[in-house]
Amino acid sequence: MIKPEGVERGLVGEIISRFERRGFKIVALKLTKLSKELAEKHYAEHRGKDFFEPLVAHITSGPVVPFVVEGEDAVRVAREMAGTTDPKKAAPGTIRADFGIDIQRNVIHAADSPATAKREIAIHFSEDEFVEW
Ligand code: CMP
């Protein structure tokens, strides 16, 4: 999911393009503004942590672009493309290294396991938002 600072800074095309060039198949994609309820669901595993409230406030502060890609080893490769959570520590050439501002404004969220991906996809998309092609 491209975070508000990614959309606001005009990075949607750049980021989606990286996934296309890497050979992934986009199967669902939208521009939306998350409700507090959806954001809290999305980040449920972080509830209780000191950055939870600011995190929810940030992700609901502007439009986001959730998207789903298919491809071999997609979760691992997408995480690798995103880079480490903290942009300062992210490897050169990763999305967060290239565009991240700080640990909160790190431009993209990528699911950390196939099980998490399944859970998060169900939060942001209904069955009829997927296109088979
Ligand atoms: P994300 O991959 O979206 O998952 C949780 C988010 O919490 C993370 O990226 C960061 O943007 C944000 N965050 C803010 N502070 C921290 C922190 N101290 N440690 C980890 N994540 C943080």
Side-chain angles (χ1 to χ4, degrees):
M1 178 166 70
I2 304 173
K3 299 188 180 185
E5 69 279 14
V7 178
E8 284 156 7
R9 289 156 73 215
L11 296 170
V12 173
E14 164 74 37
I15 292 169
I16 299 289
S17 179
R18 288 185 180 210
F19 284 87
E20 289 181 321
R21 290 203 307 255
R22 191 70 187 249
F24 284 118
K25 178 179 173 185
I26 299 168
V27 292
L29 173 106
K30 68 176 149 191
L31 176 77
T32 184
K33 198 155 179 270
L34 298 186
S35 64
K36 188 164 184 267
E37 189 194 354
L38 271 195
E40 286 180 348
K41 232 174 172 180
H42 176 95
Y43 281 129
E45 63 171 303
H46 297 298
R47 193 183 279 280
K49 295 182 185 165
D50 56 353
F51 60 84
F52 182 71
E53 291 300 329
L55 174 61
V56 169
H58 169 63
I59 205 74
T60 56
S61 68
V64 294
V65 175
F67 63 104
V68 183
V69 296
E70 269 179 20
E72 234 173 86
D73 219 356
V75 171
R76 189 191 60 75
V77 176
R79 294 274 294 177
E80 195 179 274
M81 290 169 67
T84 308
T85 308
D86 185 348
K88 288 193 297 297
K89 297 177 186 154
T94 59
I95 293 166
R96 285 166 169 167
D98 288 350
F99 306 113
I101 300 165
D102 52 34
I103 198 162
Q104 179 170 88
R105 292 171 296 172
N106 60 0
V107 181
I108 188 164
H109 167 84
D112 63 6
S113 70
T116 308
K118 202 172 171 190
R119 189 185 75 82
E120 292 178 355
I121 288 167
I123 291 172
H124 299 288
F125 293 96
S126 57
E127 284 294 321
D128 64 0
E129 289 176 301
F130 283 83
V131 174
E132 258 183 61
W133 63 285

